[in-house]
Amino acid sequence: MTSYRTPLARARGLGPARTGTDHFWKQRVTAAANVFLVSFAIYLIVRLAGADYPTVKSTLAQPQNAIPLLLLILSGVIHMRLGMQSIIEDYVHSDGYKVAALLLNTFFAVLIGFACAYAVLKLSFGA
Amino acid sequence: MAETGESASRPISPHLSVYRPLINMVMSILHRITGIALYFGTLLLAAWLVAAAGGQAQFELVNAFFAHPFGKLVLFGYSWALLHHMLGGLRHFVWDTGRGFSIGQVNALSWFTIIGSVVLTLVLWMLGLTLRGEL
């Protein structure tokens, strides 16, 4: 199908990676969310410092603590994956190493995200 | 360009090492370094949560590490990196609005980041240790 849009109009706003401002925008949205979610997590962890196991377990299982923690895990791993992607793209120039590093970056973020989410959900719903 | 003997003394493209460190440049570098530290530091959070989900024995093993002076030092560094990166992010939010770009404002925001992060970290730990009765 013939496109009647000019090449300039098709490229405008997308940049060399063809993803436009998507990376920047997601990075800022998760940053804004993290300000609140990280503050909450610091409060929660300071409150639980030195607490015994049953206290920690029951506190983390409460919805008002588990839900913000799950949100932090989601927002946090998206943010850190994007940040590390920028670092890799800045410093790793050979295609092979770059693709490998970007792949490992994604694997690490997904692993951390699922491990933390699994743990919080198990504390909430597990025996 | 034929005089090859002189090529060694010709100026090369300047890079970071030729600049006197300026506060906004140091804060920019620290923002990236703390970001990297936080990235790998999520392993600590994951270890804590997975251990808590795993049972009392695992939890106490991880907790013993965090209670050890070395573990505490790691946590102290981690909390500073977190607060520093957060204040650095807030600085970037200010810049995102197109404000704060005069040299005086850039320097003030940069100093605010480092002083604020150190003060906040110390306050946080004093609060935490006082609550636990260790201070």
Side-chain angles (χ1 to χ4, degrees), chain A residues 1-19:
Chain A
M1 200 175 109
T2 312
S3 169
Y4 292 99
R5 300 181 70 211
T6 64
L8 177 64
R10 278 204 299 274
R12 187 168 272 154
L14 288 174
R18 296 276 173 268
T19 55

Side-chain angles (χ1 to χ4, degrees), chain B residues 67-82:
Chain B
H68 187 271
F70 177 73
K72 273 199 181 125
L73 188 69
V74 170
L75 282 184
F76 184 81
Y78 193 73
S79 61
W80 170 74
L82 198 57

Side-chain angles (χ1 to χ4, degrees), chain A residues 47-107:
Chain A
R47 223 182 68 190
L48 285 176
D52 61 2
Y53 182 63
T55 309
V56 171
K57 201 178 167 188
S58 62
T59 305
L60 293 181
Q62 286 166 343
Q64 69 268 31
N65 298 325
I67 292 169
L69 266 185
L70 286 168
L71 292 173
L72 170 65
I73 292 159
L74 179 67
S75 180
V77 295
I78 293 172
H79 187 83
M80 77 181 201
R81 178 174 166 266
L82 291 171
M84 187 55 79
Q85 184 192 333
S86 291
I87 294 171
I88 292 167
E89 287 166 351
D90 278 356
Y91 301 129
V92 185
H93 299 303
S94 94
D95 273 343
Y97 285 121
K98 184 160 79 184
V99 169
L102 290 172
L103 197 65
L104 284 176
N105 179 36
T106 299
F107 286 172

Side-chain angles (χ1 to χ4, degrees), chain B residues 51-97:
Chain B
Q56 181 137 18
Q58 287 180 43
F59 179 76
E60 274 165 12
L61 192 72
V62 171
N63 239 14
F65 169 74
F66 289 137
H68 187 271
F70 177 73
K72 273 199 181 125
L73 188 69
V74 170
L75 282 184
F76 184 81
Y78 193 73
S79 61
W80 170 74
L82 198 57
L83 290 165
H84 188 85
H85 200 78
M86 187 191 283
L87 290 182
L90 294 175
R91 187 183 71 223
H92 277 282
F93 277 139
V94 173
W95 284 336
D96 285 348
T97 68

